[in-house]
Amino acid sequence: MATFASLMKGGTNGPVIVPGKPDESKLIQLIESGEMPPKDKGTAVADDDKAGIREWITNGANFDGPD
């Protein structure tokens, strides 16, 4: 996802982030399953970072930067 707007729009399989609902967010599902990032693209997401992403989604996935 190149921009926040595209991240929030989602893809052909539906939304990537469901604000306020981390367990319904594909991003969380992929991170927690170990599918993201792909093994050849980087290291696993640290537990603290997972918690931060989950909290951000729980709190509405707000972003005040440029799209």
Side-chain angles (χ1 to χ4, degrees):
M1 298 290 162
T3 66
F4 180 73
S6 64
L7 179 66
M8 295 308 288
K9 180 179 177 184
T12 57
N13 294 323
V16 177
I17 294 174
V18 180
K21 299 179 180 181
D23 292 328
E24 295 179 25
S25 297
K26 187 73 172 170
L27 178 64
I28 292 294
Q29 294 168 6
L30 291 171
I31 290 171
E32 290 184 348
S33 72
E35 294 179 61
M36 185 175 171
K39 304 268 186 255
D40 63 336
K41 300 291 183 184
T43 60
V45 178
D47 289 341
D48 287 348
D49 293 333
K50 287 180 195 177
I53 294 167
R54 179 174 279 283
E55 181 178 355
W56 173 68
I57 294 172
T58 298
N59 291 328
N62 297 310
F63 180 70
D64 61 3
D67 279 343

